[in-house]
Amino acid sequence: MNIKTKMLIPFLIAAMPMAAMANDYTLKVSMSVGEKDPMFAGAQYLKENVEKRTDGHLKIDIYPSGQLGSVEGVQEMAMFGQNVAAITDSGRLSVFSKEIGVIGVAYAAKDYNQMKDIVETDLFKSWEKKLEKEGLHVLSFNWFQGSRSFMTNKPVNKPEDLNGMLIRTPGSAVWSESISALGATPTALPWAETYPAMQQGVVDGFEAQLPATIAASLQETIKYVAETEHFQLMTALVASEEWFSALPKEYQKILLEESYKAGAYASDVTNKNIAEYKRIMEDDYNVKFIPVDKTPFIARAQTVFKKLGYEKEHKELQDALK
């Protein structure tokens, strides 16, 4: 070994961790909503900042409109260690951590700010940790998609007006039981199938947030929005625990930090544009917004906490906010 080689050894050793970190990784981020939705803007924000901070060694690929499959399907892929992440809701995650499902019950929170406070509590974060044993890692749980209301072709002013109406909703038990309690008949369909289902009369309406409705052009299929705002749709970006654990520690830190920032960014875009979404639907598509009295809807929703065994968790969360 010559003198030059000997002199280089300390520098080579010092550089080894950085070299090891320079491996390339890719995370495929999936969402059911389209490119016009704030969640897509949030994913782009995530991509830009993660790739910048890792010098492109941790790449983020974005797949909107269910291109990688259903949310449930992508969750399952993640559980098996694949390099995918899904923007998903508490109802779908409650299959693996039952307690998380409590925020998916209708009127679990009165507005965005209260829901934001709920998911920041230590109690809620302890429920998130349970998902790791099931193969899922929550990167952030602060992606607010908006308040969900009923969108139909018949006016809805009170719960009784929903009787006999088939309403599209995701298939989780928490959401289905909530919609049923509010008076409608829940019908599980993939989001991408909602437009043709409305056109063909397969369903009488759907319940959704304004950003996703506009992004999917579903305002073309309805006449009324009953402003029940029964779900405050706070969602999570969830990846594979196995894949996440295999990342260099520094990349893990970057991904968690930027995921939270991206969720906050997407939520901000959502909240800033709600008034404009409403204006577009009213002025350009003649959709009528009905400011319903929420009191009877809220009263009906209380039965779901008991029916699904969430009374304890609901009280614990309310206590945690005090």
Side-chain angles (χ1 to χ4, degrees):
M1 183 181 298
N2 61 40
I3 274 201
K4 285 186 179 180
T5 303
K6 287 182 179 179
M7 290 175 64
L8 281 172
I9 287 176
F11 297 99
L12 291 172
I13 291 173
M16 283 179 65
M18 188 177 295
M21 199 180 294
N23 291 331
D24 288 332
Y25 303 87
T26 299
L27 180 63
K28 301 176 182 178
V29 174
S30 174
M31 63 195 73
S32 59
V33 294
E35 293 184 18
K36 296 179 182 178
D37 194 276
M39 297 306 104
F40 184 79
Q44 288 182 310
Y45 184 96
L46 175 69
K47 174 182 175 67
E48 179 181 346
N49 289 290
V50 167
E51 293 182 358
K52 181 178 180 180
R53 289 182 64 184
T54 63
D55 295 324
H57 294 300
L58 175 49
K59 185 180 178 185
I60 306 294
D61 291 340
I62 309 170
Y63 296 85
S65 303
Q67 292 176 17
L68 288 185
S70 67
V71 175
E72 293 86 352
V74 176
Q75 281 185 181
E76 187 173 346
M77 291 163 63
M79 291 171 69
F80 281 97
Q82 294 192 40
N83 60 326
V84 296
I87 294 180
T88 185
D89 60 83
S90 61
R92 292 179 171 100
L93 293 174
S94 67
V95 176
F96 312 107
S97 176
K98 181 180 181 296
E99 296 92 338
I100 281 181
V102 67
I103 68 167
V105 177
Y107 300 107
K110 62 182 179 180
D111 55 25
Y112 163 69
N113 288 324
Q114 188 177 57
M115 183 61 78
K116 182 181 177 183
D117 290 341
I118 284 173
V119 298
E120 292 291 342
T121 62
D122 290 339
L123 177 62
F124 190 82
K125 290 186 180 300
S126 72
W127 297 341
E128 288 181 15
K129 291 290 290 182
K130 292 186 176 183
L131 293 170
E132 294 176 15
K133 295 180 180 178
E134 302 296 330
L136 296 172
H137 195 103
V138 175
L139 301 178
S140 53
F141 213 124
N142 65 331
W143 298 65
F144 183 61
Q145 298 196 34
S147 302
R148 291 173 75 97
S149 293
F150 289 102
M151 307 197 180
T152 62
N153 284 309
K154 293 192 294 185
V156 173
N157 291 281
K158 56 187 182 300
E160 290 76 14
D161 294 335
L162 289 167
N163 290 346
M165 294 182 66
L166 299 178
I167 298 294
R168 181 273 169 190
T169 194
S172 70
V174 179
W175 283 25
S176 292
E177 289 292 347
S178 292
I179 297 307
S180 181
L182 296 181
T185 300
T187 302
L189 283 174
W191 180 243
E193 295 179 18
T194 306
Y195 193 107
M198 286 293 294
Q199 282 188 318
Q200 297 164 20
V202 175
V203 292
D204 300 306
F206 55 96
E207 53 86 29
Q209 63 276 19
L210 299 187
T213 301
I214 291 285
S217 299
L218 277 161
Q219 72 277 7
E220 299 172 357
T221 71
I222 60 170
K223 295 179 181 177
Y224 301 97
V225 175
E227 295 181 292
T228 51
E229 298 182 331
H230 46 273
F231 294 137
Q232 300 299 323
L233 185 54
M234 185 69 83
T235 51
L237 181 61
V238 179
S240 163
E241 170 63 20
E242 180 181 337
W243 178 85
F244 180 82
S245 297
L247 287 177
K249 295 295 183 183
E250 181 62 19
Y251 286 7
Q252 292 180 15
K253 180 175 181 291
I254 289 171
L255 186 56
L256 290 174
E257 290 175 352
E258 295 303 332
S259 293
Y260 183 84
K261 292 177 185 177
Y265 176 80
S267 300
D268 190 48
V269 173
T270 294
N271 288 320
K272 284 182 176 178
N273 286 287
I274 290 298
E276 178 62 11
Y277 295 138
K278 185 174 180 178
R279 185 202 65 76
I280 290 171
M281 292 174 71
E282 287 179 322
D283 294 350
D284 299 348
Y285 296 90
N286 297 315
V287 175
K288 181 180 179 181
F289 282 73
I290 304 173
V292 303
D293 176 8
K294 295 179 186 176
T295 306
F297 290 96
I298 293 172
R300 284 190 172 218
Q302 301 313 300
T303 63
V304 182
F305 292 107
K306 183 176 182 179
K307 184 172 184 179
L308 295 181
Y310 280 127
E311 289 178 301
K312 174 175 173 288
E313 289 79 8
H314 185 49
K315 183 180 184 304
E316 287 177 336
L317 281 178
Q318 298 308 308
D319 290 343
L321 293 177
K322 294 178 181 177

